[in-house]
Amino acid sequence: MTPDTPSALAAAARPEQRPSPGSEVRRSTSTLRATDVYAALGAALASLACTGLMFTELTGFSGALGFLVVAYLMFLGLYALLVSFDESGPLVRDRIASVAVHSLAGLMLLALVFVVVYTLWEGRTALPHLNFFTQDMAKAGPLDPLTTGGIRHAVLGTLLQISLALLITVPTGLLCAVFLNEVPGRYARFVRTIVEAMTALPSIVAGLFVYATAILALGVEKSGLAASLAISVMMLPIVIRASDVVVRLVPGTLREASYALGAPRWRTVWHVVLPTARSGLTTAVILGTARGVGETSPVLLTAGFTAVTNLDPGSGPMVSLPLATFEFVKSPERTMIVRGFGTAATLMALVLLLFVVARFIGGRGPGQLSKRRRRRRDAASARDLRRFEAYAARPAAPSLAAELFAPPQSASAPPAPVAGTTPATEIPATEPPAPAAPEPAAPEPTTPEHDTPRSTP
């Protein structure tokens, strides 16, 4: 850092904040600066002022939508002009793209908030009545007040239909996702292509498919079971696709470690892959539930419509919350329209409740255990520790190699101590000392052969 840089001058102006010699100066990594905020606010105010002047004085334009579109385009142009005073061309384009992305994200969030608030506001007069949740429309008509009738039949029908659909979709979707990842091949690629194509399947096509196969061909009457089959057709591609991505993210080293310990493939999937991806699999089920719980056209074709409570999914029409909302809002009566918005608000609350329950059940990541699971883990560890201690205290039997290659022992020798045991008292053996061996006698001198006189014959 040279002495004439702004940072060095600022540090020299404040001696108490000057970094010590040899210390590293922390660099700011934040992408948001004060000048960017000032430029965005100035461009927004200027665009509103110029658009208002244009719509009121200079041109004959009118309309709220046109005002917003022109103001947004003018905002982007003014913001680019303000940023170009301090930045180069690539940075100006980067700032414009960043502002456009953030503004579109804020627009989508604003639309979502508007839908939720508008639904709650329109249904505010129906939600406070208790009979709205405890009665059905069997004895209520379009002209009856909100104190009569309710949506009990729609709530119970939705719960039954989505429960049956989850019973079909969750095991089938998870099994298909495991198959796509654990058994690769040509058939797996074909199945993955079909699943990706079914993700964009229109809901009316799924309803027509179940209507043609189950109701017309097989003779199944319009009921909650037929509606559950249609909802399952819509949920299954979402669950399979999301679960496939989640299972694919499980590290391969975990599988290799399980295989190295001798675990078969099914045990590896059940005890390693699925617990590791549990949080993501829960998210996949949530996405599938969100797709199926709000379907109207498949339920309209397969379940029919009724004003009474039907708890038998195998026979008789069964209405759901989206279908009840559709039927209520079609009526020209104000009370029925209010019932429709109240039903839509109840549907949003029910979906939120299902999401919270699903996230509570499977939302913990790998290694994050609940209190009950931690107690079970500690109890299992204590049992294993006692088993290991009992195994270590057991006398070890001599191995076959030790018995074969052990030195022979005499009959008078004391028995060898058993491995793993310590005698209480060791008594030394009192044996008389062995007699000393006699020293060898010195050899007699011998006469060499050439010094011995030979006898003459």
Side-chain angles (χ1 to χ4, degrees), residues 262-294:
R265 177 176 294 178
W266 70 269
R267 190 176 291 274
T268 299
V269 171
W270 184 257
H271 292 282
V272 176
V273 176
L274 294 182
T276 304
R278 181 178 59 182
S279 179
L281 296 177
T282 305
T283 304
V285 174
I286 289 175
L287 293 176
T289 306
R291 177 66 186 274
V293 76

Side-chain angles (χ1 to χ4, degrees), residues 357-443:
V357 172
R359 181 59 63 185
F360 177 76
I361 293 175
R364 294 184 177 88
Q368 298 179 2
L369 303 178
S370 60
K371 293 183 179 179
R372 182 174 61 87
R373 290 182 176 272
R374 284 198 294 267
R375 288 195 297 267
R376 291 176 57 185
R377 180 196 59 186
D378 296 341
S381 300
R383 289 195 302 269
D384 293 340
L385 181 59
R386 290 193 297 268
R387 182 163 54 88
F388 294 156
E389 291 177 350
Y391 182 81
R394 189 178 60 182
S399 61
L400 180 61
E403 293 180 356
L404 292 177
F405 297 101
Q409 298 180 357
S410 59
S412 60
V418 180
T421 59
T422 305
T425 8
E426 296 183 357
I427 304 176
T430 55
E431 295 182 357
E439 298 181 358

Side-chain angles (χ1 to χ4, degrees), residues 49-74:
C50 294
T51 307
L53 181 63
M54 182 185 302
F55 271 65
T56 56
E57 301 294 338
L58 300 180
T59 64
F61 296 156
S62 62
L65 182 60
F67 183 87
L68 293 176
V69 172
V70 173
Y72 180 72
L73 295 178
M74 190 170 293

Side-chain angles (χ1 to χ4, degrees), residues 39-202:
L41 291 177
L45 295 177
S47 64
L48 290 176
C50 294
T51 307
L53 181 63
M54 182 185 302
F55 271 65
T56 56
E57 301 294 338
L58 300 180
T59 64
F61 296 156
S62 62
L65 182 60
F67 183 87
L68 293 176
V69 172
V70 173
Y72 180 72
L73 295 178
M74 190 170 293
F75 162 74
L76 292 180
L78 293 175
Y79 180 75
L81 178 63
L82 293 177
V83 173
S84 64
F85 293 154
D86 299 327
E87 306 291 350
S88 59
L91 290 178
V92 171
R93 291 190 291 269
D94 178 73
R95 294 289 188 273
I96 295 174
S98 177
V99 168
V101 170
H102 285 82
S103 59
L104 292 178
L107 179 63
M108 301 309 299
L109 180 61
L110 181 63
L112 177 61
V113 172
F114 173 77
V115 170
V116 174
V117 172
Y118 181 77
T119 303
L120 295 175
W121 178 258
E122 290 293 330
R124 69 188 186 280
T125 56
L127 295 176
H129 298 283
L130 183 61
N131 62 282
F132 186 72
F133 304 99
T134 59
Q135 297 179 6
D136 52 23
M137 295 296 294
K139 299 180 180 180
L143 300 179
D144 291 330
L146 295 175
T147 56
T148 305
I151 58 170
R152 181 187 63 184
H153 59 306
V155 173
L156 296 178
T158 298
L159 292 177
L160 288 175
Q161 291 175 12
I162 201 65
S163 299
L164 292 176
L166 288 175
L167 289 178
I168 299 173
T169 304
V170 171
T172 308
L174 297 185
L175 185 62
C176 184
V178 170
F179 166 76
L180 294 177
N181 287 273
E182 301 296 330
V183 190
R186 294 183 177 178
Y187 187 65
R189 291 194 295 270
F190 172 75
V191 173
R192 182 177 282 110
T193 303
I194 297 299
V195 169
E196 291 177 354
M198 288 183 62
T199 305
L201 183 70

Side-chain angles (χ1 to χ4, degrees), residues 157-158 161-162 203-204 206-208 210-211 215 222-224 226-232 234 291-305 317-324:
T158 298
Q161 291 175 12
I162 201 65
S203 58
I204 190 65
L208 289 174
V210 175
Y211 180 79
I215 296 178
K222 289 187 176 182
S223 58
S228 301
L229 294 177
I231 294 174
S232 300
M234 298 303 303
R291 177 66 186 274
V293 76
E295 293 295 339
T296 304
S297 54
V299 180
L300 179 63
L301 292 173
T302 56
F305 184 80
M318 178 181 291
V319 71
S320 63
L321 287 173
L323 184 56

